[in-house]
Amino acid sequence: MRASSRQALEQGKAVLARQTGMTAQTCYDWADDLFALSDLVQGSSRIALALTDPARSLEDRVRLLQTLAENLSEVALTTVEGALSAAPSAQELPTVIETLGECAVQRGAQAEGKAIEIADEIFSLERFVRANQQVRSALSDRNREPKYRVRLLQELFGSSLSRPATTLALRAVSAVSRNSKLEDSVSLTGNLRHMRRDLAAAGDTVVATVQVATPLADAQAERLRDILSRRYQKNIHLQVSVEPSVLGGMKVRVGSQIFDGSLATIIQETKQKLAG
């Protein structure tokens, strides 16, 4: 993402951060507004160019925005206005607005004290998608219109997910076709991973994804959490998945760092050494 677009994102975030006294549901409403606007801009390069045209004044571009999205809430409008003032690129404007929508969901999760709970919902969904190849292929099929993939997700999970988890899951599915997501997270599971980590971070917590062959005992989990907390100087939340292919030991991922002490990897490395 270009420097101007990153600045636009930070200025939009600053607008959201200044909002006080809001309920979680209000934040989720803002997110819906921002996501709808992101879709509108994503679908028309002419609109994106007009909203980022440096030859037009900010006031003129904001009036255009108001005309295009008459039902946009005042906070959503002000948030995007803040972003436009930093002159983001037309190509990256949909991503900027999309990410601001995700930030609004995070604010809502914080407001109701459920950031970790929602992150765990997203983690469960990510595990399900990873474990079911047919589902993963159908939800990630770029040859299908996003609306059909979104409908499939809704049919699969119905009301089993909370409103914010559903909102983020639908965005993760619809975003698979795009090539401008932050951090190049263009795969479905990559998008879901990115979202759950940001949710945890919004609550000043770092997620550690742990793969084990058998469930961790409470004492083991507490010891691992304590070790990682001391290493990163942060609150650590463990998201544990049981993967028989690990065979033994564990594989831990924190951000981009992977600590692989799995028996499967040890065996593979031993085989390579013997073969060499």
Side-chain angles (χ1 to χ4, degrees):
M1 181 175 280
R2 300 176 187 176
S4 60
S5 296
R6 289 193 179 276
Q7 184 180 0
L9 179 57
E10 291 307 314
Q11 293 192 188
K13 286 182 178 180
V15 174
L16 286 174
R18 289 197 294 268
Q19 309 306 314
T20 59
M22 69 288 176
T23 66
Q25 298 307 313
T26 297
C27 293
Y28 300 147
D29 289 341
W30 296 341
D32 288 342
D33 284 348
L34 290 164
F35 289 140
L37 180 59
S38 175
D39 288 341
L40 176 66
V41 177
Q42 179 74 31
S44 173
S45 58
R46 292 181 61 185
I47 290 176
L49 287 168
L51 289 173
T52 56
D53 186 354
R56 305 176 70 166
S57 68
L58 177 60
E59 292 76 12
D60 184 37
R61 287 182 280 131
V62 171
R63 281 195 295 270
L64 172 60
L65 178 63
Q66 292 172 316
T67 302
L68 291 170
E70 295 179 351
N71 297 322
L72 201 65
S73 63
E74 182 178 351
V75 169
L77 176 64
T78 306
T79 299
V80 178
E81 180 181 350
L84 291 178
S85 67
S89 73
Q91 181 183 6
E92 293 173 328
L93 180 59
T95 296
V96 170
I97 300 173
E98 176 88 5
T99 307
L100 289 172
E102 292 177 15
C103 290
V105 174
Q106 293 160 19
R107 288 297 305 276
Q110 285 180 288
E112 61 179 344
K114 292 186 176 180
I116 294 299
E117 182 178 325
I118 298 166
D120 283 345
E121 287 187 82
I122 299 296
F123 179 59
S124 296
L125 175 60
E126 181 187 338
R127 288 175 58 197
F128 176 82
V129 170
R130 286 185 184 278
N132 294 272
Q133 184 176 352
Q134 287 185 322
V135 172
R136 184 169 69 252
S137 297
L139 292 175
S140 304
D141 187 354
R142 289 175 171 83
N143 293 318
R144 290 187 179 185
E145 288 290 325
K147 63 181 179 181
Y148 295 116
R149 289 184 272 124
V150 164
R151 187 181 305 162
L152 173 60
L153 181 69
Q154 292 171 322
E155 290 173 353
L156 284 170
F157 294 95
S159 59
S160 62
L161 297 175
S162 65
R163 177 185 177 183
T166 298
T167 297
L168 291 177
L170 294 178
R171 300 313 298 180
V173 168
S174 62
V176 169
S177 300
R178 304 171 193 167
N179 57 10
S180 56
K181 280 292 284 184
L182 278 177
E183 310 304 333
D184 296 321
S185 294
V186 294
S187 72
L188 175 56
T189 53
N191 288 335
L192 292 171
R193 183 171 62 249
H194 170 80
M195 288 172 171
R196 64 178 170 82
R197 288 177 180 171
D198 282 354
L199 275 166
D204 196 31
T205 300
V206 173
V207 164
T209 306
V210 184
Q211 294 181 341
V212 290
T214 57
L216 285 178
D218 290 345
Q220 291 176 306
E222 187 59 36
R223 175 171 170 73
L224 177 59
R225 189 181 296 109
D226 181 60
I227 291 171
L228 293 174
S229 294
R230 284 189 275 110
R231 179 184 179 92
Y232 290 97
Q233 296 297 300
K234 290 278 189 178
N235 294 322
I236 298 292
H237 178 66
L238 302 182
Q239 291 182 326
V240 182
S241 62
V242 176
E243 309 284 349
S245 60
V246 172
L247 299 182
M250 66 178 65
K251 183 184 294 186
V252 181
R253 179 169 183 164
V254 181
S256 61
Q257 291 188 302
I258 298 176
F259 308 94
D260 193 345
S262 65
L263 181 57
T265 298
I266 293 172
I267 291 173
Q268 182 61 33
E269 290 176 348
T270 301
K271 287 181 176 178
Q272 290 175 349
K273 290 179 181 178
L274 291 173

